[in-house]
Amino acid sequence: MLNISPPKERMDLNFDLSLPFYNATGKAKSVTLKSHFKNVGYDTLVINRISGNMLKVYLNGELVYKFGDLTANIWNKVFKIELKNLKEENELIIEIFGIYDVGLANIPFLTNYKIATRYVIYKEFFKEKFVYISIGISLISAIVSWIFGSSIKDRNLKISYLSFGIFLLFTALHLSHFSVRETMFNPNFYLMFLKIISLATYSSIVFYIYAVEVYKRNFFVSKWIVYVFVPILFLVSMSYDFVFYVKITQISNIIMIFFLIYAAIRVFYLKVEWLYFSSVFSAISVIHTIILLFYPSVRELLTGYAFSASAISVIIMISRDFKRVILEHSLLIEEVLTDPLTGAYNRKIIDKLRPGGYFILIDLNDFKELNDRYGHEYGDRVLKDFSKIVVENLPKKDYFIRLGGDEFAIITYFENPKGLVEKIRLQMKRKINLDFSYGISRYSQFERAYKKADEKLYKMKRQKSLKYKNKM
């Protein structure tokens, strides 16, 4: 994880064994490191980056600290051990036991308790605690990916996100290997756990490449990687002891490096922009981890950060695709609910409207005669021009509906509906030399509102007709 330098106020210990060291043979082994030091006022021992399963610390021949057992995982733990009853001259013995590997990457040091506590708190967060954060992010991302994949109709997009979900689940399993555990109960169960972790790690690469290719190309191009990984997965699953397991995973880890590089290349080739950073980061982090096994002086692990970046990248992709799917769905609904000629809503929108506001019923005056005289093409143009005027004057939250023919309705939340409709009417007369009649009612239920508005509309038409006759 993130490298935090040891405090300046410290005393590095000299041991009878050269540090750093790492040994992975698959055989149980115990390594003892011995150091002599003078009491200079530092009372706390800090040990970081142990490979193995159990740690014992002896001070002047007395056991002062023990952590783990034959199957524990102490790789990612930072140890803070308070040393009491120090003498002028002291002997410190560190014993590390590993069931299949053993090593120590950093030089243990002494400092005072307060400085050690501060250092370990920071170190633990960016190492041990961040592993759990990364596992949580990966699991949440997997669930979100599955939910999104299951809810969409696009078959290829569905398969892609379900595959991303499996990749993220396997990522969480892989990260669990870095979590600190005091025991795995017995060696056989521990070996089974390690095999499951390795199977999940190698399989995750296949699902990642599969998801990326289906996402962009709609089919799985790199099928050949399955034929490479199946024998590896078989050999790992058939590992009968730690010796065989270590030999197989050492070879498969090297093969894994090439596939991670290949995965990053595929992401760039297919132009999956949101995965550029995370794919490269993940490849570098796993390569870095594998190199660390051979060269233990390499600094802290990057794995948790890299896989968190991968999970976040997938979440970002989901959010973008979710917005696109919602937009497409909205456009589809809009198309179903929209009158193709005028762009107004059709009658289907009425069932979706909530009570409230005002209902304005509009009927264009003498439209039938105008349509008969000048033709339907001219009549359609008049309807379009009328609709354009209405939409330009209507607040965005209001609804403009074509009920049929030259009969329209407006549902408005404007406090002065008559002022609104008179404004539209005035512009109609000025721009296309056409008038209309209207009726206004409170909108609570369509049939009731329509009936009241229609009565007022008919009354207005009748008044206009009487005025026309009086002029005659």
Side-chain angles (χ1 to χ4, degrees), residues 17 55 130 161 195 258 343 348 358 397 436:
L17 187 67
L55 169 69
F130 198 84
Y161 274 112
K195 289 195 288 185
F258 293 102
K348 293 178 182 177
Y358 294 92
K397 61 182 179 180
F436 60 77

Side-chain angles (χ1 to χ4, degrees), residues 197-334:
I197 294 298
S198 295
L199 292 173
T201 302
Y202 302 143
S203 299
S204 68
I205 303 172
V206 178
F207 278 99
Y208 181 79
I209 296 172
Y210 176 80
V212 167
E213 291 186 343
V214 173
Y215 182 80
K216 292 298 286 189
R217 286 291 179 85
N218 298 330
F219 62 94
F220 186 30
V221 179
S222 307
K223 293 179 181 178
W224 57 273
I225 66 172
V226 176
Y227 301 110
V228 175
F229 269 105
V230 165
I232 293 173
L233 297 176
F234 175 76
L235 289 171
V236 170
S237 63
M238 296 302 292
S239 299
Y240 52 86
D241 61 14
F242 288 101
V243 175
F244 188 76
Y245 170 78
V246 168
K247 288 179 180 178
I248 291 299
T249 52
Q250 283 176 341
I251 296 169
S252 56
N253 285 343
I254 294 170
I255 296 172
M256 186 178 172
I257 292 175
F258 293 102
F259 279 100
L260 284 165
I261 295 170
Y262 176 75
I265 291 170
R266 292 300 290 165
V267 166
F268 278 86
Y269 178 77
L270 296 173
K271 297 180 180 178
V272 189
E273 292 89 352
W274 286 103
L275 296 180
Y276 283 171
F277 173 75
S278 62
S279 62
V280 173
F281 192 13
S282 296
I284 290 172
S285 72
V286 175
I287 292 168
H288 175 270
T289 303
I290 294 170
I291 291 172
L292 183 144
L293 297 176
F294 298 98
Y295 302 97
S297 60
V298 175
R299 289 295 180 183
E300 305 293 354
L301 299 176
L302 302 170
T303 314
Y305 303 108
F307 286 122
S308 292
S310 296
I312 292 168
S313 297
V314 173
I315 288 291
I316 293 171
M317 284 177 62
I318 290 172
S319 66
R320 291 177 71 249
D321 286 332
F322 181 74
K323 288 179 182 177
R324 180 173 60 80
V325 169
I326 290 296
L327 180 62
E328 289 173 358
H329 183 66
S330 299
L331 291 173
L332 183 63
I333 292 175
E334 191 92 4

Side-chain angles (χ1 to χ4, degrees), residues 46-111:
V46 177
I47 309 174
N48 183 27
R49 286 275 308 283
I50 294 175
S51 296
N53 306 97
M54 183 164 57
L55 169 69
K56 292 181 180 179
V57 177
Y58 298 86
L59 178 65
N60 298 321
E62 182 184 349
L63 179 66
V64 294
Y65 186 83
K66 179 182 179 293
F67 187 89
D69 64 6
L70 298 179
T71 61
N73 181 28
I74 60 176
W75 188 15
N76 223 25
K77 185 170 178 60
V78 185
F79 294 94
K80 179 188 69 174
I81 304 161
E82 190 174 7
L83 303 177
K84 298 179 180 179
N85 303 318
L86 287 169
K87 301 176 182 178
E88 287 298 318
E89 295 283 342
N90 299 277
E91 181 186 66
L92 183 74
I93 295 175
I94 297 174
E95 185 180 340
I96 304 170
F97 170 82
I99 198 168
Y100 72 91
D101 71 339
V102 64
L104 181 58
N106 293 338
I107 298 172
F109 62 87
L110 296 173
T111 186

Side-chain angles (χ1 to χ4, degrees), residues 4-12 42 46 109-112 114-120:
I4 298 173
S5 299
K8 293 181 179 179
E9 295 180 37
R10 73 181 193 277
M11 181 176 72
D12 291 337
Y42 293 144
V46 177
F109 62 87
L110 296 173
T111 186
N112 67 54
K114 186 177 180 181
I115 293 174
T117 300
R118 186 166 59 245
Y119 171 75
V120 170

